[in-house]
Amino acid sequence: EKRRAARPARRTPGTGYFRKSGVVSFTMKDEQLRKACREWRGSTYSTELVELRGKVGTILCSHPSGCVSVRFKGVEDRVKLPPSCLNLLCGPVRGPVLSSDEELAFAHNVIEALRSEAGCLAVENYLEEDEALECCEDAWALCSEEDKMRQGGTGMGDSVKRDGGLRGDQIRWMPRQNTLDGYDAAMPNGIQTLIDKLHRLRKAIAYLTEKPLYRTSIQLAKYPGEQKGYVRHRDVKLGSKENEKRRISCTYYCNKEWSPEDAGELVVYPKSRDPRCVPRHSDMMEERKEKARAMFSEEVFIQPKANTIAFFQSHTYHEVLPMNSPRVAFAFWMYGPDSLDLTFPGAAECSIDNNDQFENKQFIVLTRELRKHAAKGAEAEE
């Protein structure tokens, strides 16, 4: 049969091209695989390819024909395949082609922490000391450019509000980068070091979970102090119909002289991702009240000290407590179309983030200070 001319690698919306260091999965059925191998020069069908179905690997290089060489988990030899046979889990990132053992071990710890009852992980000394110092200085320098900062908003699309009532920070978005073009001249080196390390973590998580994490967004936020904070909220709405959702949230702190008197801790509510504690649309009022109490019955406090990073699933409720002094942090979100299935321990159901049976309230407006005030008022009435 006459072969067709080679064609460029398939592009899935928002995923980028299949290139060196990208993470892919091989799921094509036998008949489709035979056809794809006939259509692409440089690839040959064999029964050994069938045995690789379901495996995840890393692209080592691409060929002039458009085919790519992939190193699959547990397979020593590289395999040459047409891109049309593969599903992209994570696009190319800077640095070595393969994730190191250290990177995979750290990603494993993050995954296990997100799956645990605590539901989050705080890591101190995330960057080397000199890298952290440079990153903090760069972050504060960017925050000093007041003309590029704007009031943080709540909501999505046309419903975004920027009145400072629910959140008190000033923000700026970091520009998107082509991960194949080296360092972006517009990005300070210290911040670039942090971003590259987080991209490599995203790649390792996609490799281990075998779930797609296509893209990211990065936000720099500065709170002025003055008892400003951010009310309880999720970083994503439950049951939303977006093709790609925030799956993992990361917060990196740049506060060199933080002390407990400064306040402004991050509070994570791990039970807010337990399907047994989250109110459903079908629940009666008393059930909803009981579940709401259970959902916020446990708290994890994370101190916003310099070079500390926090990880949690984006559908977990969290809040930033009011603070007494300025605070700067980066928020880094990993997006993907599928739930990571990091189910709460003991819950028989799947993760709540892709389930439209649950209430999708994104914000709990009652702040900690207002709750205290309301409690004092109730005591006075009694």
Side-chain angles (χ1 to χ4, degrees), residues 268-310:
V268 179
Y269 299 92
K271 281 201 169 182
S272 64
R273 63 184 232 284
D274 185 349
R276 296 164 295 186
C277 297
V278 181
R280 299 171 182 262
H281 297 296
S282 58
D283 288 341
M284 302 299 289
M285 183 58 68
E286 287 302 318
E287 290 179 287
R288 295 190 183 197
K289 290 181 179 179
E290 186 63 31
K291 286 184 176 181
R293 284 192 288 269
M295 192 162 54
F296 299 114
S297 61
E298 294 183 6
E299 303 171 327
V300 178
F301 291 82
I302 298 173
Q303 297 179 337
K305 297 186 292 186
N307 204 19
T308 296
I309 190 167

Side-chain angles (χ1 to χ4, degrees), residues 327-353:
R327 197 203 79 168
V328 169
F330 283 99
F332 185 95
W333 291 285
M334 304 181 189
Y335 292 73
D338 302 327
S339 170
L340 298 180
D341 292 336
L342 303 179
T343 308
F344 192 89
E349 301 177 73
C350 64
S351 180
I352 67 174
D353 56 340

Side-chain angles (χ1 to χ4, degrees), residues 203-216:
K203 172 184 173 179
I205 292 175
Y207 184 84
L208 294 177
T209 61
E210 301 184 2
K211 297 286 186 177
L213 290 171
Y214 289 150
R215 67 179 183 92
T216 61

Side-chain angles (χ1 to χ4, degrees), residues 39-104:
E39 292 177 346
W40 287 78
R41 292 197 303 267
S43 61
T44 305
Y45 174 84
S46 68
T47 55
E48 295 178 355
L49 292 181
V50 179
E51 297 174 0
L52 297 175
R53 187 178 298 125
K55 288 186 176 293
V56 170
T58 304
I59 297 177
L60 301 180
C61 64
S62 56
H63 300 276
S65 64
C67 292
V68 293
S69 291
V70 183
R71 173 73 56 80
F72 288 101
K73 284 184 185 179
V75 179
E76 186 174 348
D77 297 329
R78 63 178 64 188
V79 181
K80 193 174 181 180
L81 288 168
S84 58
C85 299
L86 305 170
N87 293 324
L88 192 64
L89 302 184
C90 179
V93 300
R94 297 188 184 97
V97 174
L98 298 175
S99 297
S100 66
D101 292 340
E102 182 180 358
E103 290 172 335
L104 292 174

Side-chain angles (χ1 to χ4, degrees), residues 106 110 121-126 252 302 305-311:
F106 185 84
V110 172
L121 176 67
V123 179
E124 298 182 355
N125 303 317
Y126 183 63
Y252 178 83
I302 298 173
K305 297 186 292 186
N307 204 19
T308 296
I309 190 167
F311 302 94

Side-chain angles (χ1 to χ4, degrees), residues 251-264:
T251 303
Y252 178 83
Y253 295 106
C254 304
N255 311 300
K256 292 185 289 184
E257 299 178 356
W258 183 89
S259 66
E261 291 75 22
D262 296 325

